[in-house]
Amino acid sequence: MLAELEGLISGLEQLPVASRRLLLKARLLRAWVLIDEGRPAEAEPEAEAVVRALTRTMYVTDVWELELSALVCMGDVLCALGRHEEAETIARGHLPRAEGHLAAGLQVLLLRSLSGQGRHEEALALAESGRPCPEPSPADAGAHELATALALHGLGRHDAAREEARRALTACERHLHPRHARVGEIRELLALIAPA
């Protein structure tokens, strides 16, 4: 998929300035693919470049949805790189203005960043205070459940963590490719949890 994206991006770079929004979307998608391939260090400059470009054009056009999506991507990069405090800052700073699937993405980012800092009780309280939108996009399948399972595991509540991880796996199997990074994370977590 990365090769196809490179070709698309190369073609979009040749189009007039009016097509820049499509170019930014394609570059953001490339960052997500790099994260999914376990290459967050390569995704970081791409996500940063998209955020910078959006910041420069916000006064010209309404790009808030694309900007929030880029910020969620940047937060995922930071979590993958172990920079959980920075990811928490992004999530907390932008959650109040997000709606729908973007709010759900920022909430999952906040959950992951809190657990990454060892703040599992806070993460679990947030997870239990309200689930994201009832019908997450297929790309977000199992993300909230995985973040909740990580918090439960961090608190030593292994039976509950196993149950939540299995729920996450079921959601992922319904919507994602078996080699998706989230499926791998869930399987790793299930292997860590001692059998009942």
Side-chain angles (χ1 to χ4, degrees), residues 87-88 91-92 95 103-115 117 119-132 144 147-149 151-152 155 157:
E88 179 186 0
R92 288 195 188 279
L95 195 52
L106 285 164
Q107 184 182 29
V108 168
L109 176 61
L110 183 55
L111 292 172
R112 290 180 58 215
S113 67
L114 292 171
S115 282
Q117 296 173 65
R119 294 161 55 193
H120 304 295
E121 287 182 22
E122 193 177 341
L124 185 59
L126 178 65
E128 292 175 343
S129 70
R131 293 267 180 188
H144 191 273
T148 304
L152 288 164
L155 292 170
R157 294 174 52 187

Side-chain angles (χ1 to χ4, degrees), residues 84-95:
H84 302 286
E85 296 87 358
E86 294 173 69
E88 179 186 0
T89 300
I90 287 173
R92 288 195 188 279
H94 299 282
L95 195 52

Side-chain angles (χ1 to χ4, degrees), residues 10-174:
S10 178
L12 288 171
E13 287 173 340
Q14 307 306 314
L15 295 176
V17 175
S19 303
R20 289 296 179 210
R21 194 169 181 170
L22 288 174
L23 175 61
L24 292 174
K25 285 182 179 183
R27 291 183 66 192
L28 183 58
L29 184 57
R30 177 170 51 190
W32 286 113
V33 170
L34 288 168
I35 292 169
D36 286 345
E37 290 186 355
R39 297 161 56 187
E42 294 174 56
E44 183 179 16
E46 189 72 78
E48 284 178 344
V50 172
V51 170
R52 273 195 312 275
L54 290 168
T55 302
R56 286 192 305 266
T57 61
M58 282 175 55
Y59 68 94
V60 176
T61 181
D62 184 18
V63 293
W64 67 272
E65 287 184 68
L66 186 56
E67 179 205 11
L68 286 177
S69 186
L71 288 165
V72 171
C73 181
M74 188 67 210
D76 281 351
V77 165
L78 293 169
C79 280
L81 294 172
R83 293 161 52 191
H84 302 286
E85 296 87 358
E86 294 173 69
E88 179 186 0
T89 300
I90 287 173
R92 288 195 188 279
H94 299 282
L95 195 52
R97 68 186 180 112
E99 301 171 354
H101 74 281
L102 292 169
L106 285 164
Q107 184 182 29
V108 168
L109 176 61
L110 183 55
L111 292 172
R112 290 180 58 215
S113 67
L114 292 171
S115 282
Q117 296 173 65
R119 294 161 55 193
H120 304 295
E121 287 182 22
E122 193 177 341
L124 185 59
L126 178 65
E128 292 175 343
S129 70
R131 293 267 180 188
C133 47
E135 288 296 323
S137 72
D140 296 330
H144 191 273
E145 293 85 353
L146 173 58
T148 304
L150 288 169
L152 288 164
H153 177 63
L155 292 170
R157 294 174 52 187
H158 301 297
D159 290 339
R162 185 180 310 102
E163 184 179 321
E164 197 68 22
R166 286 183 180 146
R167 246 194 304 281
L169 187 58
T170 299
C172 287
E173 287 172 341
R174 211 175 300 136

